[in-house]
Amino acid sequence: MSIPVSLALVAAMFLVARLAELPSWPLLACAALCAAVCGLFACRFRPGLFWRCLAAFLSAFVWAAASGHLKLEQRLAPELEGRDIDITGVIASLPGRVERGLRFDFDVEQAPPGVPRHIALTWYDGRRVEHEVVEQHVRPALHAGSRWHLRVRLKRPHGNMNPHGFDYEAWLFERGIGATGSVRASGDGASAQYLIDDRVWRPACLIESAREAVRQRFERVLGAPDDPDARHPWGGVLVALAIGDQRAIPPAQWDMFARAGITHLVSISGLHVTMVAALVGMLAAALWRRVPALALRVPAQRAAVVAGLLAATAYCALAGFGIPAQRTLIMLAVAGAAMLAGRFSSPANALALAVCVVLLLHPMAVTNAGFWLSFGAVALLFYAAAGDIGATPAPVRWLRAQAAITLGLAPLTLAIFQQVSLVAPLANLVAIPLVSAVVTPLALLAILLPVDALLLLAHALTGWLMTLVAWLTAPDWALWHGAAPPAWSVAVALLGTATLLAPAGWPGRALALPLLLPVFLFQPERPAVGDMKVVVLDVGQGLAVHVQTATRDLLFDTGPRYGMEADAGERLVLPYLRAAGVARLDTLVVSHADTDHSGGVASLLAGMPVSAVMSSVPARDALRLARPDTRDCVAGERWSADGVSFDMLHPPPGARERGARSSNALSCVLRVSSAHGAALITGDLLADGELALVAAGAPLAAELLVAPHHGSRTSSTEAFIAAVGAKDVVHAVGYRNRFNHPNPVIQARYAAQGTRQLRSDRDGAVACDFRAAGIECALSREADARYWHNRVPVQ
């Protein structure tokens, strides 16, 4: 497989992944016909590289688009959303622990029409209240590969959409998940959930059962990862190395791995697969040579190749066949086949073939960061080693390889994650040989031999390594954050790394630094003096609003808490701010104590410097304990920056001390105004608070209104709507939220005023620029639309 042909295939797959709508089947049929004609030209009439690349491009485009069409047909029918449905199927993945329950993939075998074949479910522990009767329902034990009858409530795949944010819907689409949902509580005295078969005898189910058995044994020896009193805190890392279950690693450990740049080592990477194949191959060759009859019939080298490939295949199966493992297995298979056939295949061609096979099996892999980083790392190793000569000492080659990967992947890492670990070269220098050559083989040997000492030794070595990693990542400068760079700067930086890593004697090496600087020094354009930008983030059922002026940044609320270990501050707000080039917040306003507004504050304060905090939360709230300098929101307070004015309109002075019937009644209300318009951010302001502002003649007029209380019937009175007179109102709501926000009555009130209504579940983040040329609002679900995104109907 030639490199240009593989690049043509990658380009076609990438193009399809950027489409907002897929071409129709007739258009794809025409493209397939053109691909066949180009292939015929390449084979019979004009045997040239151009025609081969064009044929590959068109064929790959048709294949990716057709695969997308077929996957879209496996989406939940809209009319089935929110209904209780009885289904029968098989638990198709390892059940993973979540707060108060388990999450797993489910292969549907019997269901009403419109239910997809592959769904993701959560089965909660908890209670169910019906007719004033509290019913405790306890989740039974769940095992991979078992068949169940379940009553479920499903919804179409849907995720938050923010600029430069993680595309959860793409992740689900790549895995073939057509719906997400939860298992319902049993009722009417009879269980709607029951086990049909303990085990389904299918290869995939048996593999998942084997993975679950390995995890159970590891947890028996090392303890469960969610046990706060566990004496072996790094047991989840060993589980991830052995079976690829990364959910066993707590979030705090992931943060440390990211700061050290070693996240690739705590998953089953290509390096681990290669090391396992090499170790098994060497062992097989040594044993083979000791049996003369075998050595005379088949050379030991050939036996070693076969044994190594079998071991690599078994390891990849145990890992769930992730993309890095697939890539390595395919490359090993190509190299092994060449050795068995007595023909040499160049590393570059083997890599090109691996790219093509992986993409043909998984066209959506081009949306996966791991695809680019894993193949990019291997390509860099081949490129950097091209100028090596045999006399180069092994330690020098090792150091050069580490430098090549660190420098070469830095632009891609910055573009994808907006961060680069500065201590990664040192951390990987120790971690790679220890994890790949010692810890991983010990963990795998512990699967074959029921000797607990093997796991305990592997854990002790991992603990020693993590002590070193913790010391390396302790300084604040260990992880460097940068803004999301434009595509042109990434391309220029990649050219710079190629120049820097070129063989000795390359004349253009002096250009490397100038080519690398733009991607690391890039800063997004900020509003001019007198202008402002207001972004209402999509955080689900909650609120977070970013206001930016020429030199200042303000955040109003931090979004909801999703569970004990996850909140919008960490998952959504901080990544957005860093991608936008915000290194420090000048002002943080937490409107009130409700967790859908304050849930992300702890993560935000831990992850970014904040100069000033304002809030109406009570005196003993965690925010005031963490930041004793928090000032009260008080109506009448006013400040300005860069020609933009900030006016606090609510609550009135002394309101927090006097108390209120609910925290919503104390909600901060902020009006931000420029020469080109104003925005009114209301938190959860209630109707009586609205009417008090109208009666007091408060300056409420604004072009942009963030709807009070998410569009609830408790707010948005007719007098308030008329006083604001907004052209646009944004309802910050979660998809299919249980409160039915925004309420249809409230929507009708805004419609009667002629106000355009935007909503975060349908439009994603709403970014409004207030400039002299006018006010322009960009919607994330329009600007970043992809064909797999869920379309919420206009209501």
Side-chain angles (χ1 to χ4, degrees):
M1 177 66 68
S2 69
I3 296 177
V5 171
S6 67
L7 292 177
L9 186 142
V10 171
M13 300 284 189
F14 185 78
L15 176 60
V16 173
R18 303 291 296 178
L19 295 177
E21 297 287 346
L22 287 174
S24 63
W25 283 110
L27 286 178
L28 291 181
C30 294
L33 180 61
C34 293
V37 172
C38 293
L40 183 63
F41 264 73
C43 295
R44 299 290 298 272
F45 303 110
R46 294 180 178 270
L49 181 61
F50 171 78
W51 291 104
R52 290 202 304 272
C53 290
L54 184 58
F57 179 88
L58 292 173
S59 300
F61 184 91
V62 172
W63 175 254
S67 299
H69 273 296
L70 295 176
K71 279 190 175 182
L72 287 177
E73 292 176 0
Q74 282 299 312
R75 283 276 180 92
L76 180 71
E79 62 271 15
L80 296 180
E81 284 191 295
R83 291 173 47 186
D84 286 354
I85 303 170
D86 287 351
I87 62 175
T88 300
V90 178
I91 297 178
S93 68
L94 282 176
R97 294 179 182 85
V98 295
E99 188 177 358
R100 297 187 302 107
L102 292 177
R103 184 168 294 157
F104 53 91
D105 293 350
F106 195 75
D107 285 343
V108 179
E109 296 175 327
Q110 295 180 6
V115 176
R117 292 192 298 266
H118 196 51
I119 63 177
L121 294 175
T122 303
W123 197 330
Y124 292 104
D125 293 323
R127 65 179 185 172
R128 179 173 181 260
V129 180
E130 186 172 1
H131 305 302
E132 299 183 353
V133 176
V134 178
E135 175 195 355
Q136 288 291 142
H137 60 96
V138 180
R139 169 189 47 79
L142 301 177
H143 299 287
S146 56
R147 179 179 281 120
W148 286 80
H149 178 278
L150 301 175
R151 179 167 295 164
V152 299
R153 183 168 291 183
L154 303 176
K155 63 180 180 180
R156 292 164 67 85
H158 192 91
N160 304 104
M161 284 288 294
N162 294 293
H164 310 292
F166 174 69
D167 193 338
Y168 177 64
E169 293 177 41
W171 182 75
L172 291 175
F173 191 73
E174 182 186 7
R175 296 172 54 212
I177 301 294
T180 62
S182 60
V183 179
R184 305 296 291 168
S186 304
D188 301 327
S191 175
Q193 312 358 299
Y194 54 86
L195 177 68
I196 299 175
D197 293 313
D198 288 329
R199 180 170 297 176
V200 176
W201 296 93
R202 298 175 187 165
C205 294
L206 294 177
I207 290 174
E208 291 301 317
S209 297
R211 298 178 70 210
E212 184 177 17
V214 171
R215 185 176 69 178
Q216 288 175 344
R217 176 166 178 269
F218 278 40
E219 291 180 353
R220 179 182 62 80
V221 177
L222 302 174
D226 56 352
D227 182 3
D229 299 323
R231 292 181 294 109
H232 303 96
W234 306 106
V237 174
L238 299 183
V239 172
L241 290 173
I243 62 173
D245 184 15
Q246 299 179 354
R247 296 170 299 184
I249 301 176
Q253 294 181 10
W254 277 119
D255 291 341
M256 187 176 71
F257 301 154
R259 290 180 63 83
I262 61 170
T263 53
H264 62 101
L265 285 179
V266 290
S267 59
I268 297 182
S269 67
L271 184 62
H272 301 335
V273 176
T274 303
M275 188 65 68
V276 168
L279 291 175
V280 172
M282 288 189 294
L283 180 62
L287 295 176
W288 199 268
R289 291 189 183 98
R290 292 183 176 273
V291 183
L294 295 177
L296 290 173
R297 290 182 62 87
V298 179
Q301 185 183 28
R302 289 174 174 261
V305 170
V306 174
L309 287 177
L310 290 176
T313 303
Y315 188 28
C316 290
L318 196 62
F321 277 111
I323 286 180
Q326 287 184 32
R327 179 258 303 162
T328 305
L329 182 61
I330 292 168
M331 290 189 61
L332 290 174
V334 171
M339 293 177 65
L340 293 175
R343 297 182 178 181
F344 175 76
S345 178
S346 72
N349 285 338
L351 181 65
L353 177 61
V355 168
C356 294
V357 174
V358 168
L359 286 181
L360 289 175
L361 293 175
H362 304 286
M364 280 289 292
V366 292
T367 65
N368 191 313
F371 169 84
W372 297 100
L373 295 176
S374 61
F375 279 109
V378 177
L380 282 168
L381 289 176
F382 290 160
Y383 180 74
D388 280 350
I389 58 176
T392 305
V396 175
R397 291 200 301 270
W398 172 256
L399 292 174
R400 186 178 296 170
Q402 288 302 304
I405 292 178
T406 302
L407 294 174
L409 292 183
L412 274 181
T413 304
L414 184 63
I416 296 171
F417 302 112
Q418 289 82 59
Q419 62 185 28
V420 175
S421 172
L422 300 181
V423 298
L426 289 175
N428 281 282
L429 196 62
V430 178
I432 287 178
L434 181 61
V435 174
S436 296
V438 182
V439 175
T440 301
L442 283 174
L444 295 179
L445 191 60
I447 297 175
L448 301 176
L449 302 176
V451 179
D452 293 351
L454 295 173
L455 282 176
L456 296 176
L457 176 59
H459 185 274
L461 293 172
T462 304
W464 174 84
L465 173 64
M466 296 311 163
T467 301
L468 174 63
V469 169
W471 178 76
L472 287 174
T473 58
D476 293 336
W477 52 261
L479 189 65
W480 186 81
H481 294 284
W488 67 265
S489 66
V490 178
V492 169
L494 291 176
L495 180 61
T497 58
T499 302
L500 184 65
L501 301 175
W506 180 259
R509 195 182 297 272
L511 296 174
L513 183 59
L515 292 173
L516 285 168
L517 285 178
V519 75
F520 292 101
L521 300 181
F522 171 77
Q523 284 295 318
E525 181 183 3
R526 296 182 67 95
V529 174
D531 298 349
M532 68 178 184
K533 184 175 185 177
V534 180
V535 182
V536 183
L537 295 173
D538 177 11
V539 295
Q541 188 66 22
L543 184 65
V545 183
H546 176 218
V547 180
Q548 187 175 70
T549 66
T551 63
R552 304 295 178 89
D553 290 278
L554 176 145
L555 183 70
F556 188 102
D557 283 341
T558 59
R561 172 173 288 277
Y562 303 127
M564 294 300 295
E565 295 183 337
D567 58 67
E570 177 190 16
R571 288 190 176 183
L572 302 174
V573 180
L574 276 174
Y576 157 78
L577 291 173
R578 289 165 178 163
V582 178
R584 170 185 291 271
L585 282 174
D586 298 283
T587 307
L588 170 63
V589 178
V590 180
S591 62
H592 60 299
D594 285 6
T595 56
D596 58 332
H597 295 253
S598 63
V601 68
S603 296
L604 188 83
L605 291 175
M608 179 170 290
V610 178
S611 299
V613 182
M614 303 177 67
S615 183
S616 67
V617 297
R620 296 188 178 276
D621 188 88
L623 170 61
R624 293 190 184 272
L625 296 178
R627 288 292 298 259
D629 60 339
T630 299
R631 294 185 291 116
D632 285 347
C633 295
V634 178
E637 184 168 359
R638 177 186 176 89
W639 71 97
S640 61
D642 306 319
V644 177
S645 298
F646 298 81
D647 293 274
M648 193 66 70
L649 305 182
H650 191 268
R656 183 176 67 84
E657 290 77 6
R658 291 192 299 270
R661 58 189 176 89
S662 72
S663 61
N664 290 343
L666 295 175
S667 181
C668 306
V669 175
L670 181 67
R671 183 176 184 267
V672 188
S673 57
S674 71
H676 317 303
L680 186 62
I681 310 171
T682 56
D684 278 354
L685 183 66
L686 298 176
D688 52 357
E690 295 177 356
L691 296 177
L693 290 175
V694 173
L700 298 175
E703 283 70 23
L704 176 67
L705 170 66
V706 180
H709 203 186
H710 317 283
S712 166
R713 290 195 66 173
T714 63
S715 308
S716 296
T717 58
E718 293 178 350
F720 180 79
I721 295 173
V724 176
K727 297 179 180 177
D728 296 307
V729 61
V730 181
H731 302 288
V733 295
Y735 180 64
R736 298 191 62 83
N737 64 85
R738 62 190 178 94
F739 308 103
N740 195 31
H741 292 164
N743 189 276
V745 174
I746 301 303
Q747 293 184 69
R749 287 181 187 172
Y750 284 108
Q753 292 287 337
T755 305
R756 182 176 68 151
Q757 301 187 61
L758 306 171
R759 40 190 296 174
S760 56
D761 62 341
R762 183 189 66 210
D763 303 308
V766 179
C768 296
D769 287 301
F770 291 71
R771 300 173 179 166
I775 303 173
E776 295 183 2
C777 292
L779 314 180
S780 286
R781 283 193 174 267
E782 286 185 2
D784 301 319
R786 300 292 182 265
Y787 70 85
W788 58 80
H789 286 157
N790 185 30
R791 268 65 169 179
V792 180
V794 178
Q795 298 179 356

